[in-house]
Amino acid sequence: MHWTQCTVVAQFDGASPRPAQRFTPESFLAWVAAQQTEAHEVHSCYEAGAFGYGLHRRLVALGIKNVVVRPRDWDEYHKKVKTGRRDAPALCGMLVRWQALLLEMDRQIAALTALIEAADAGERPVGVGALTAGTLDREAGDWRRFQNRREV
């Protein structure tokens, strides 16, 4: 992300990332708004920089799920230079892995919530032995203190 241009790598529905494209910040916002008409959700990320979070606020206002990440080291590739064409595909890959991690965490939280609800109801959950059920119960203490699965 630069104040005069954005280098963008797009990936659609799990396909391979497309080659990097360059946009002005305004043309990028128009392009991403057009993508939103074609997609259920649009996710994006960019490195934090000296230009603040103005782009982030504009993307969020459009309904884009945006993440601002810390900048990578200048010499991470031992080239003493950063380029959008090199960094944009790496950021795209990191965003995909981050989303996969969040989905897996949601899945695990839902499974743990089911265990908690079963334990709270005095049932022994299917697939959990007496030792595991007892350990979960001792660790949690009073299950009613959790308002929802995210609090667990």
Side-chain angles (χ1 to χ4, degrees), residues 67-138:
V67 179
V68 180
V69 300
R70 76 166 182 83
R72 298 178 83 165
D73 291 336
W74 276 82
D75 201 23
E76 190 168 324
Y77 299 106
H78 307 289
K79 302 283 187 188
K80 299 193 185 312
V81 66
K82 282 178 64 72
T83 69
R85 289 205 181 270
R86 184 184 307 136
D87 292 344
L91 282 171
C92 183
M94 286 189 282
L95 180 60
V96 168
R97 289 188 298 277
W98 172 249
Q99 291 169 331
L101 176 65
L102 291 177
L103 288 173
E104 177 61 20
M105 287 173 52
D106 282 345
R107 188 192 67 74
Q108 290 184 8
I109 289 170
L112 185 56
T113 300
L115 290 174
I116 292 168
E117 290 170 354
D120 200 29
E123 303 169 10
R124 192 173 115 206
V126 175
V128 175
L131 179 61
T132 302
T135 302
L136 284 171
D137 197 41
R138 281 190 303 279

Side-chain angles (χ1 to χ4, degrees), residues 6-57:
C6 307
T7 303
V8 177
V9 170
Q11 183 172 353
F12 301 98
D13 298 325
S16 294
R18 296 201 176 160
Q21 303 174 58
R22 288 192 178 155
F23 296 94
T24 65
E26 291 306 317
S27 65
F28 168 67
L29 288 168
W31 179 82
V32 80
Q35 300 308 308
Q36 225 174 349
T37 64
E38 303 292 323
H40 174 68
E41 286 185 336
V42 176
H43 297 259
S44 67
C45 70
Y46 68 91
E47 289 181 331
F51 304 107
Y53 289 82
L55 178 60
H56 172 73
R57 286 189 288 276

